[in-house]
Amino acid sequence: MAWTKYQLFLAGLMLTTGSLNTLSAKWADMFSAKGCHDDPEHAFTHPFVQAVGMFMGEFSCLAVFYILLCTDRRRPEPRMNPGQSFNPLLFFAPAMCDMTATSIMYVALNMTSASSFQMLRGAVIIFTGLLSVTFLGRRLQKSQWLGILTTIVGLIIVGLADFFSKHKDDTHKLSDVITGDLLIIMAQVIVSVQMVLEEKFVYKHDVHPLKAVGTEGFFGFIVLSLLLIPMYFIHVGNFSDNPRQVLEDALDAFCQIGHEPLILLALLGNTVSIAFFNFAGISVTKEISATTRMVLDSLRTLVIWVVSLALGWEQFHGLQVVGFLVLLVGTALYNGLHRPLLARIPCCAHLVATEEEEEEGRDSPGERERLLGDGRVQTPDES
């Protein structure tokens, strides 16, 4: 069935805003400007300030939710399900996981390329799968275990591509690249904990995805904004690139923005894109399918990689192509995207039917859709 113009718009919006989210964050990292008190020009390395902006974008999803709810209630026959009432503190623990993982990933983005950053985020399916077996008692299909193993191979290939390519690239030191890649992997462990917490305690309350994202964004924004105060006084030495060598110097960030307004444009691009990305992703799941959303999310990695190459932000390396393709196969296997293809092969059709029957018996109705609707089931790619 052909897509409608609205569905094409949603798909394009998701792909565009999802790509802009990472590209704008990386663009901000590439600026240099003077700081406060006539400090010499230095790189804009303020990952925690960037994370605050990202949570502001998620927080804005609450406003979108209530606007849509008010608009729907004015209709003669309201169709929007606002979900049941819940204790907002249910989202506090997942929000803290989100805050920690996002902050770590923004630190890592300063150390590695945008494309590697996006690809390595595919590691989330490894830890999510393992934790769901351990804490949710879930049984993974053989294809999902194969997808996890394939993803591990893909991550190794991407890591090797970074290792070899940085010998010819002076943008990042090899030690920084390795540290950045490891930080991204570590952040995915925390993201997987967040997913398991959401599935175990949150989704049973039938919370609307936009409201879930907005509530987590609220907690993340408030807590991280307050943490910027002690971070201003925590001395970390050479770990930080700001002049005072503290964990985060928010005042220096604002001074740099004042000297180079384009930094503000990059930060706003990150904030606005994450809000529209969540809205578009949820709408794609609702209007088209969760599978389409996963495919678009994978294409986002390709767009980021191509744009980074075109802008000269990184150099082409053949191993990255291999790594991306292997990660794509791993994600497809884990999320069941191989089933439509195998169903067309007579000798494999019964295997697909068996897997689907087992999955229906294992998962509650709509659980997968809610996970995808919130953007928590991720593919090799993003926050």
Side-chain angles (χ1 to χ4, degrees), residues 82-100:
Q84 60 182 256
S85 59
F86 63 96
N87 184 351
L89 289 176
L90 281 172
F91 286 90
F92 186 78
M96 293 304 96
C97 290
D98 193 7
M99 181 190 74
T100 306

Side-chain angles (χ1 to χ4, degrees), residues 216-365:
E216 285 190 13
F218 167 77
F219 284 123
F221 175 74
I222 295 297
V223 173
L224 192 54
S225 296
L226 292 175
L227 287 176
L228 289 179
I229 298 173
M231 286 180 183
Y232 183 80
F233 300 99
I234 299 175
H235 190 269
V236 292
N238 293 329
F239 179 78
S240 175
D241 289 334
N242 58 64
R244 295 178 58 247
Q245 293 188 322
V246 293
L247 188 57
E248 179 59 281
D249 190 340
L251 292 181
D252 180 66
F254 290 124
C255 289
Q256 285 190 290
I257 291 171
H259 286 107
E260 180 52 83
L262 283 177
I263 297 176
L264 179 60
L265 180 62
L267 296 179
L268 286 176
N270 184 255
T271 300
V272 174
S273 63
I274 194 66
F276 278 97
F277 175 67
N278 277 290
F279 170 74
I282 292 167
S283 300
V284 165
T285 302
K286 180 181 177 182
E287 298 290 336
I288 310 174
S289 70
T291 302
T292 302
R293 177 172 182 167
M294 286 186 284
V295 173
L296 290 171
D297 214 18
S298 296
L299 287 176
R300 184 160 58 118
T301 305
L302 183 61
V303 171
I304 291 168
W305 184 45
V306 170
V307 171
S308 297
L309 288 173
L311 294 175
W313 290 0
E314 56 186 275
Q315 295 180 350
F316 176 82
H317 200 287
L319 270 180
Q320 269 201 325
V321 181
V322 178
F324 171 70
L325 293 175
V326 173
L327 286 171
L328 198 60
V329 171
T331 302
L333 287 170
Y334 186 84
N335 289 296
L337 300 184
H338 62 290
R339 291 174 185 167
L341 179 63
L342 292 181
R344 297 175 179 273
I345 304 174
C347 62
C348 300
H350 70 284
L351 296 175
V352 175
T354 302
E355 269 199 2
E356 290 178 345
E357 287 175 4
E358 290 180 1
E359 190 172 75
E360 286 175 5
R362 181 195 68 194
D363 292 335
S364 59

Side-chain angles (χ1 to χ4, degrees), residues 49-85:
V49 171
Q50 285 180 288
V52 168
M54 191 279 293
F55 281 115
M56 188 185 298
E58 286 191 359
F59 184 21
S60 68
C61 289
L62 267 182
V64 176
F65 168 76
Y66 285 112
I67 290 172
L68 292 176
L69 186 62
C70 291
T71 304
D72 185 69
R73 285 177 175 174
R74 292 178 182 177
R75 294 176 177 174
E77 297 182 3
R79 294 177 295 176
M80 183 176 172
N81 176 20
Q84 60 182 256
S85 59

